[in-house]
Amino acid sequence: MTRIEVLIVGIGGMGIVLAGRILSRAAAIYEGKEVVQTQSYGAEARGTAARSEIIISNEKINYPRVRRCDILVAMSQEGLEKYLSLLKEDGVLVYEKYLVKKIPTSKRLKVLGVPAIEIAEKRVRNRLAANVVIISAMSCFTGLISKNSLKKAIVDIVPKAMREVNLKAVEEGIKFLKTFNETN
């Protein structure tokens, strides 16, 4: 890995910013990478566009914004449509399977649909953990961040009341990917 640009997009209230913070901390603190993370969301945080930009590198990062992302994680159709043009032709698209319906077709693009909300509701028993389900599935799919690093970052960042829920979400995201790989 030299430089990987990740863009996580969705709607305010979905935990887009928290997902970016978890990935960033996992990469920087527990995997020893250079990391820059920025975020933005609409004026009324809940229900408006939200995005988290993460750059992970083995070398010094000179520009802190995503220009052409290697990985796009889309938790809403609007987010996918707004930011798809930033995804490299041979990039990775990970999307929330029930909220994103119009998926681009490309032979060069690696695509993974994750039913993150369903997994969070049925297996984790908390819909708010969908963000962690999808980033853990993405991390395992791409080899970007290890499960242990994600879990350590969650312990550092997530408030105690939601810590166990999010740790379970990591396990369920990885479990989903293993099942996906076995059937595809």
Side-chain angles (χ1 to χ4, degrees):
M1 169 203 316
T2 304
R3 177 186 172 107
I4 301 291
E5 295 187 8
V6 181
L7 186 57
I8 305 170
V9 299
I11 296 169
M14 295 180 109
I16 303 300
V17 171
L18 178 60
R21 289 183 57 223
I22 291 168
L23 279 178
S24 299
R25 185 161 186 94
I29 303 298
Y30 299 108
E31 300 204 356
K33 305 292 182 195
E34 295 289 322
V35 177
V36 173
Q37 189 260 337
T38 58
Q39 67 230 4
S40 74
Y41 39 88
E44 319 86 25
R46 203 167 281 283
T48 59
R51 82 171 181 263
S52 187
E53 301 178 23
I54 304 103
I55 299 170
I56 302 170
S57 181
N58 291 334
E59 301 166 359
K60 185 178 178 182
I61 299 168
N62 295 319
Y63 185 71
R65 302 298 303 262
V66 167
R67 294 182 193 147
R68 297 281 294 159
C69 60
D70 301 281
I71 303 167
L72 175 61
V73 178
M75 298 228 15
S76 72
Q77 186 70 49
E78 299 82 5
L80 174 64
E81 290 169 4
K82 185 172 182 178
Y83 294 104
L84 183 60
S85 64
L86 295 181
L87 182 60
K88 292 179 179 174
E89 286 182 21
D90 60 346
V92 175
L93 170 62
V94 178
Y95 66 94
E96 207 302 318
K97 195 171 183 173
Y98 296 106
L99 296 180
V100 179
K101 297 294 183 187
K102 297 176 190 163
I103 313 305
T105 55
S106 168
K107 292 185 177 172
R108 296 185 65 198
L109 204 60
K110 293 179 189 164
V111 179
L112 175 67
V114 180
I117 291 173
E118 180 182 351
I119 291 169
E121 287 176 340
K122 291 183 178 175
R123 297 188 195 155
V124 182
R125 303 264 186 241
N126 192 321
R127 182 184 179 108
L128 296 176
N131 60 338
V132 175
V133 170
I134 204 164
I135 65 166
S136 61
M138 176 277 293
S139 292
C140 190
F141 184 63
T142 61
L144 183 64
I145 305 290
S146 75
K147 173 175 87 169
N148 288 340
S149 295
L150 285 173
K151 285 184 160 191
K152 288 176 183 176
I154 285 168
V155 169
D156 291 348
I157 294 172
V158 174
K160 196 171 185 178
M162 287 295 290
R163 202 170 290 153
E164 288 305 315
V165 165
N166 283 281
L167 292 171
K168 183 164 177 51
V170 170
E171 294 294 338
E172 292 299 335
I174 291 168
K175 192 183 298 182
F176 162 78
L177 187 64
K178 287 180 182 174
T179 304
F180 174 84
N181 285 337
E182 290 168 3
T183 58
N184 291 309

